Amino acid sequence: MAANRSESPQARLNTLRRRIRHHDHCYYVEDAPEIPDAEYDRLFSELKRLEERHPELITPDSPTQRVSGTPLEGFSKVEHRQAMLSLDNTFSSEELAAFHQRVVDRLGAKVAGDSLSYVVEPKLDGLAISLRYEQGRLIQGATRGDGRVGEDVTAQVRTIRAIPLRLGGEGWPTTLEVRGEVFMPTEAFEQMNEKARAAGEKVFANPRNAAAGSLRQLDPKVTASRPLTLLLHGWGAVDGGVMPDSYSETLVLFRRWGLPVSDLIRSVQGIDAAQKSVNHLETLRQTLPYEIDGAVIKVDRVDLRARLGYVARAPRWAIAYKFPAQEVVTRVQGIDVQVGRTGALTPVARLEPVTVGGVVVTNATLHNFGEMRRKDVRAGDRVSVRRAGDVIPEVVRVVPQDALAATEGTLFQRPDPMAEPERCPVCDSRATRPEGEAVLRCTGGLVCPAQRKAAVIHFASRRAMNIDGLGTKLIDQLLAKGVITSVVDLYHLEHAVVASLERMGSKSATNLLHAVAASRTTTLGRFLFALGIREVGESTAQGLARYFGTLDAVMEADRERLESVPDVGPVVASRVWAFFREAHNRQVIDGLLAAGVVWPDVEGSVSEESLPLAGQSVVITGTLESLTRRDAKARLEALGARVVGSVSKKTALLVCGASPGSKRTKAEALGVEIIDEAAFLVLLER
Ligand code: 9MJ
């Protein structure tokens, strides 16, 4: 970890500066970091410590002396009237106390340290931007760039819904520059990556890169399609108006003007209260809908901020308190192939144990073989591993050997990349990749012990049939000893057989049989979920149950009808349809029903007859005045219609708004019923 002892301070400084510049470029220009933030912070801290010991070696171009980042080519440049600063980091309560001491020392006797007002707020990990409003209208959006000159991203920020194009309320200054962080909420990020992964496309390493990559798109249409949002945390130039004396009062005004401000920002007095507030934010971290990498502590009073001023790259009146990293570096010991419930063969990296965001991680998913190849992960590699919220830990990327050579390790000869298996490692059935899919699958179905086991685990799980006490180890034994071959057998277990299993006895066997018996009474939604139909998660299963009301109705529905269920698209519809057409699935269902699995009828379910447009295919064309396409579609679906994109013989109805195109002509030619918007509204009223 320590520097090479033979290196002179100057040589070490040069190495560190070169590396930091390289990583700045990867991070700020390419939006593709090679190392986790925590590694970068380590290099940066080492450079700072070294420069503190040798101030004579500090140069104006050292990374410690300037805000990192470079404006991208292709965007016009914007010169910031007031520099956009970054923040210095701290990692412990001692360092935070030292920050407070520096503030108090600089302010002198006029300010009592323990009553000094601070504002504590979440530190968002996104892209810093500045928005300029003139007469209350959004005129310009700019990235931070190098702090002095940024990129003009006006067209891009205009697509972000959270950013008002006009300020609300009254009393805003003639010119107002507000500053904040553009970021992508976690769930939206996961969904975007999931889609990219399924399509075999490049995924973003983390929400920050996704936000930066999405905002810095020359084509604002791309930005518009990305789920970005913003929270404000400061201001820049202000003309023609009077601003409050404190940051906390300024935030109140921002809110009044319709600008987005976090509701987790707190005002406190003294550094102990600030530390408490930081700790509280840390406990909230995993529950927030977006990632935070720390807290920011800021002096509240504007006059004190002015007296404190700033050093090279950061204000003296604010400090970031970084939380434990959610992305860290460790070594891949080997790559295993796991077989999932639906036969998916997933490469999983076995890791040297490492703590990520407070939890020890020993395995991380590589998602699928295509992604493993793209990332080129091999046994022995140093990789960065990310874990956020309750998402499964994943390998983000291989850390280039020379990126770490500055701090550790020697080079090693990498083995050949792992080949994609042709057969299932568990049952030896053929592995195939259906056309257009990213995932390799075992073709063994329920013949494959791994799939069978995963199916039983899923069936018994809490949100499915909820068989209390039937855990993985017990399921292993039941399958291995041939006591069960499918989930149906769970309902025919004998007390003596269960009691004779390892770590079981008469009492545990009785408990298990009770739990199995209790699970017989369930709901249709749970039952459908428990069957483990591909692509049918809990909410889809419940949607199907609500819509159809009975198992028979679900089983008999054709694909078109299945697609009328809210949130069911063509892929899910064909999975459900295909599932019920497999004889062995029908057998399992019959077996479960014969074993006494029951549920009450679903009340208020939507039966065929009750819906005016049940199963009918409807097309919308032209512009509707009174509602959006999306709303029109949802309203039609609520009446049982299937809304499709093109007119055919099967089309029952064409809803025709203003300026229709060729669809109307085609519908006329085919004799399809056509209604205008007024008639459509009458239909919806009915
Ligand atoms: C973030 N990243 O959330 C600042 N920041 O203040 C907050 N960044 C900042 N404040 C002055 N909450 C410079 C940067």
Side-chain angles (χ1 to χ4, degrees):
M1 188 61 83
N4 180 344
R5 296 200 186 287
S6 62
E7 230 173 352
S8 72
Q10 181 67 68
R12 183 66 188 158
L13 277 177
N14 292 346
T15 306
L16 288 168
R17 288 174 185 164
R18 199 180 60 245
R19 291 210 171 278
I20 289 169
R21 282 190 199 110
H22 168 75
H23 293 306
D24 278 344
H25 180 85
C26 295
Y27 186 96
Y28 290 106
V29 180
E30 309 285 342
D31 292 324
E34 286 181 351
I35 56 173
D37 293 353
E39 282 315 306
Y40 178 90
D41 288 345
R42 239 194 294 281
L43 291 174
F44 203 90
S45 300
E46 189 190 339
L47 177 62
K48 259 176 83 173
R49 277 199 311 275
L50 202 54
E51 288 184 348
E52 272 159 25
R53 265 184 278 131
H54 302 278
E56 72 284 3
L57 299 180
I58 298 178
T59 53
D61 67 345
S62 170
T64 58
Q65 303 302 303
R66 56 187 285 270
V67 176
S68 301
T70 323
L72 270 192
E73 294 299 322
F75 289 91
S76 322
K77 309 276 182 281
V78 174
E79 195 162 331
H80 298 300
R81 278 176 55 197
Q82 282 201 15
M84 282 185 82
L85 301 169
S86 49
L87 295 165
D88 272 337
N89 291 329
T90 55
F91 300 89
S92 67
S93 52
E94 291 75 27
E95 284 178 289
L96 183 60
F99 159 77
H100 173 66
Q101 197 55 52
R102 287 196 299 277
V103 168
V104 172
D105 289 349
R106 275 201 171 256
L107 292 175
K110 288 187 212 111
V111 175
D114 49 6
S115 61
L116 186 61
S117 293
Y118 286 110
V119 170
V120 179
E121 59 193 20
K123 181 171 184 301
L124 292 152
D125 199 11
L127 193 72
I129 61 154
S130 186
L131 302 172
R132 195 169 87 233
Y133 287 88
E134 301 272 5
Q135 330 276 13
R137 284 163 193 265
L138 178 65
I139 295 299
Q140 188 171 66
T143 63
R144 192 177 61 183
D146 65 5
R148 216 176 38 78
V149 177
E151 298 132 346
D152 185 335
V153 286
T154 310
Q156 288 74 8
V157 298
R158 282 173 159 278
T159 70
I160 300 175
R161 298 260 172 106
I163 298 179
L165 300 179
R166 277 173 183 228
L167 296 180
E170 53 197 24
W172 9 270
T174 324
T175 300
L176 171 68
E177 273 180 23
V178 292
R179 283 157 181 195
E181 206 78 4
V182 168
F183 62 98
M184 193 178 284
T186 320
E187 200 177 309
F189 164 74
E190 296 294 343
Q191 280 171 4
M192 199 177 87
N193 263 359
E194 201 49 57
K195 255 201 212 148
R197 196 169 283 131
E201 290 164 7
K202 188 175 175 293
V203 297
F204 283 107
N206 55 48
R208 196 215 96 90
N209 293 124
S214 302
L215 188 61
R216 303 199 309 175
Q217 284 283 343
L218 287 171
D219 181 359
K221 281 206 208 77
V222 179
T223 312
S225 72
R226 305 278 172 81
L228 296 174
T229 187
L230 165 98
L231 286 171
L232 293 184
H233 52 60
W235 67 95
V238 175
D239 296 327
V242 184
M243 295 292 277
D245 298 332
S246 69
Y247 176 46
S248 47
E249 290 167 294
T250 307
L251 292 175
V252 172
L253 278 188
F254 282 0
R255 278 208 187 95
R256 221 175 271 161
W257 295 337
L259 291 162
V261 172
S262 164
D263 47 16
L264 296 174
I265 301 184
R266 295 286 174 269
S267 294
V268 296
Q269 236 120 77
I271 203 66
D272 293 341
Q275 176 71 56
K276 274 208 189 102
S277 204
V278 169
N279 296 348
H280 180 63
L281 278 178
E282 191 171 353
T283 63
L284 295 182
R285 186 184 193 188
Q286 303 291 347
T287 67
L288 299 178
Y290 45 83
E291 283 195 14
I292 62 174
D293 61 345
V296 186
I297 301 93
K298 295 175 171 172
V299 170
D300 195 19
R301 269 173 54 184
V302 176
D303 60 330
L304 300 185
R305 287 185 176 193
R307 276 177 42 205
L308 289 162
Y310 56 90
V311 274
R313 61 196 292 277
R316 286 206 193 88
W317 43 262
I319 195 104
Y321 186 106
K322 296 285 280 271
F323 294 152
Q326 289 193 310
E327 193 184 315
V328 299
V329 173
T330 187
R331 191 182 301 279
V332 176
Q333 292 176 325
I335 296 172
D336 300 329
V337 179
Q338 282 182 2
V339 187
R341 175 164 59 81
T342 57
L345 300 185
T346 305
V348 174
R350 222 174 331 107
L351 305 170
E352 264 173 27
V354 66
T355 307
V356 193
V359 170
V360 177
V361 169
T362 51
N363 290 299
T365 183
L366 289 157
H367 294 291
N368 60 55
F369 284 91
E371 199 165 319
M372 182 181 87
R373 238 188 340 267
R374 263 191 303 283
K375 290 178 177 163
D376 192 20
V377 181
R378 309 187 199 178
D381 281 345
R382 303 290 268 163
V383 289
S384 92
V385 173
R386 208 178 99 83
R387 178 191 154 266
D390 47 12
V391 179
I392 304 167
E394 62 169 2
V395 173
V396 182
R397 71 185 87 81
V398 173
V399 180
Q401 295 204 37
D402 59 352
L404 283 174
T407 47
E408 57 177 88
T410 46
L411 303 185
F412 83 104
Q413 191 60 43
R414 300 176 81 203
D416 286 341
M418 178 183 187
E420 197 164 288
E422 284 169 12
R423 306 203 148 260
C424 170
V426 175
C427 73
D428 205 38
S429 299
R430 222 162 24 83
T432 60
R433 183 197 317 283
E435 175 102 11
E437 285 190 24
V439 175
L440 190 68
R441 279 176 206 280
C442 159
T443 51
L446 290 180
V447 171
C448 174
Q451 288 189 53
R452 205 178 320 151
K453 177 176 150 189
V456 179
I457 292 173
H458 172 76
F459 183 84
S461 66
R462 196 170 48 78
R463 301 214 299 265
M465 299 302 278
N466 191 21
I467 307 181
D468 204 21
L470 184 57
T472 310
K473 295 229 169 77
L474 193 51
I475 290 170
D476 263 341
Q477 282 198 70
L478 291 169
L479 284 166
K481 298 221 156 79
V483 180
I484 62 168
T485 54
S486 89
V487 292
V488 177
D489 299 333
L490 292 171
Y491 291 98
H492 303 288
L493 290 174
E494 285 170 23
H495 185 273
V497 178
V498 177
S500 70
L501 296 173
E502 271 166 48
R503 271 177 284 136
M504 293 296 281
S506 177
K507 183 124 197 288
S508 335
T510 306
N511 289 345
L512 181 68
L513 293 190
H514 278 312
V516 169
S519 78
R520 279 199 174 90
T521 307
T522 183
T523 64
L524 177 56
R526 278 176 175 270
F527 183 78
L528 288 170
F529 178 56
L531 292 175
I533 307 166
R534 256 176 79 189
E535 314 277 351
V536 176
E538 204 177 358
S539 78
T540 304
Q542 253 140 30
L544 289 167
R546 252 196 315 276
Y547 190 87
F548 289 104
T550 66
L551 178 62
D552 282 340
V554 185
M555 295 210 294
E556 263 132 51
D558 61 15
R559 276 174 277 206
E560 288 193 345
R561 187 92 176 90
L562 287 162
E563 270 191 63
S564 332
V565 180
D567 290 332
V568 172
V571 174
V572 178
S574 57
R575 296 271 187 251
V576 175
W577 184 82
F579 181 91
F580 291 116
R581 302 251 125 41
E582 294 268 358
H584 66 260
N585 291 333
R586 291 265 187 174
Q587 263 167 28
V588 168
I589 292 166
D590 289 345
L592 290 168
L593 297 179
V597 173
V598 289
W599 53 84
D601 284 342
V602 179
E603 302 235 335
S605 71
V606 184
S607 67
E608 291 267 347
E609 308 78 57
S610 68
L611 287 175
L613 298 178
Q616 298 194 36
S617 168
V618 179
V619 178
I620 308 173
T621 186
T623 315
L624 298 173
E625 298 252 304
S626 44
L627 68 179
T628 63
R629 269 290 171 99
R630 216 189 155 114
D631 288 341
K633 179 166 186 279
R635 298 283 294 273
L636 283 163
E637 284 171 353
L639 299 179
R642 215 162 47 80
V643 180
V644 295
S646 56
V647 174
S648 73
K649 279 199 308 258
K650 287 194 196 153
T651 309
L653 183 68
L654 179 75
V655 177
C656 191
S659 338
S662 60
K663 284 179 196 171
R664 184 182 180 120
T665 327
K666 185 159 181 199
E668 281 168 352
L670 292 170
V672 171
E673 185 185 349
I674 301 174
I675 58 171
D676 64 8
E677 182 162 353
F680 176 52
L681 294 176
V682 172
L683 174 73
L684 293 182
E685 284 306 306
R686 264 175 29 209

